[in-house]
Each structure stands twice: as C-alpha cells, then as structure tokens.
Amino acid sequence: HFRLYWHDIVGGKNATAVPVVFPSRNSTTAFGMISVIDDPLTMGPELSSKMVGRAQGFYSAASQQEVGLLMAMNFAFMEGKYNGSTITILGRNTVFSKVREMPVIGGSGLFRFARGYVEARTHRFDPATGDAVVQYDCYVMHY
C-alpha cells in the first residue's frame, strides 16, 4: 500500500491535461471529451512536494447522466526503488463520488504481473480552472 497525489492541471501555460476531443455541445457531463495527460505524482498534496513519477495516459467523459470518466493511465515511477517501474490503471471514475475505486490491471519492472486497485479521493478541485489534486491510495500485489 502506498499513497500518491495526482495533479491534473488543465489550464495555463503549464497544463498537464490537454483536451484532444471536445465534448458534445449540449452535454452537461462533458460527454465525448477526451484529454491526454502527463500529470505529476507527488508524495504530498502540494505540487511543490517531492515528485515521484507521472500519470501518463488519457481520460474520457463516458457517461451521459453524470460526470463519469474512463481512466486509462500508467503511473510511471521516476524515484526510489520503483524508478523505471509502472502500474497500469484502467477503470471508471465518477469524479463527484467521495471515493472511487479503479482496478490495477498490470505493471512493469518491479510491478511486473501487478494486480490490485486504487482508491481515488478528491483532495482539492478548483471549479474556476478545472484543476484538481486527487489522493490515490494504491493497493498492489506483484512479484
């Protein structure tokens, strides 16, 4: 078990999430939107805390009834004993739920044959910019 903070920065000159497909015009849930991400993963909730890796992949607004994302991302570690290793997360994220659970479907390096799950909890969300900090508790079994 380990905890990380995922920083999704959607605006400004240093955006880490870039929309590549825009949502349907009449959608209240951003249905159809796809963003590619290269988000920092840090030890603490502040962006200035120690960065240990990056979340790389995409998320897509896949629900017409609520803000529900399909998350497909690798947590690529760049520090410590997991440097060069990854875990792969693929699942549904209903962003306004208190806790969201998504499966870990694999990994590489020290996380080869990884299985498990992550729990995501929004730590901070700025509705004006769309920027978010999300706490990820990762529960991973590996060889």
Side-chain angles (χ1 to χ4, degrees), residues 66-88:
E66 62 185 329
V67 181
L69 303 178
L70 164 65
M71 307 287 293
M73 61 185 166
N74 290 312
F75 281 7
F77 295 94
M78 301 170 182
E79 282 289 325
K81 74 178 188 176
Y82 300 122
N83 184 24
S85 298
T86 66
I87 60 172
T88 302

Side-chain angles (χ1 to χ4, degrees), residues 75-103:
F75 281 7
F77 295 94
M78 301 170 182
E79 282 289 325
K81 74 178 188 176
Y82 300 122
N83 184 24
S85 298
T86 66
I87 60 172
T88 302
I89 298 161
L90 176 67
R92 184 169 189 258
N93 181 353
T94 53
V95 298
F96 293 117
S97 296
K98 183 176 179 178
V99 179
R100 291 87 69 193
E101 182 179 311
M102 292 169 276

Side-chain angles (χ1 to χ4, degrees), residues 6-7 17 31 46 65 70 78 83 86 94 117 122 132-133 140:
W6 180 87
H7 300 264
F31 180 67
E46 300 306 321
Q65 286 75 38
L70 164 65
M78 301 170 182
N83 184 24
T86 66
T94 53
Y117 65 99
T122 302
V133 177
V140 181

Side-chain angles (χ1 to χ4, degrees), residues 3 10 15 22 27 29-30 35 44 47-48 57 72-73 77 81 87 90 97 115-116 128 135:
R3 176 174 291 164
V10 299
F22 293 91
S27 176
T29 65
S35 286
L47 189 54
S48 60
M73 61 185 166
F77 295 94
K81 74 178 188 176
I87 60 172
L90 176 67
S97 296
R115 291 290 179 263
Q135 173 185 307

Side-chain angles (χ1 to χ4, degrees), residues 16-35:
T16 62
V18 178
V20 294
V21 176
F22 293 91
S24 168
R25 279 186 244 198
N26 59 355
S27 176
T28 59
T29 65
F31 180 67
M33 177 273 304
I34 300 172
S35 286

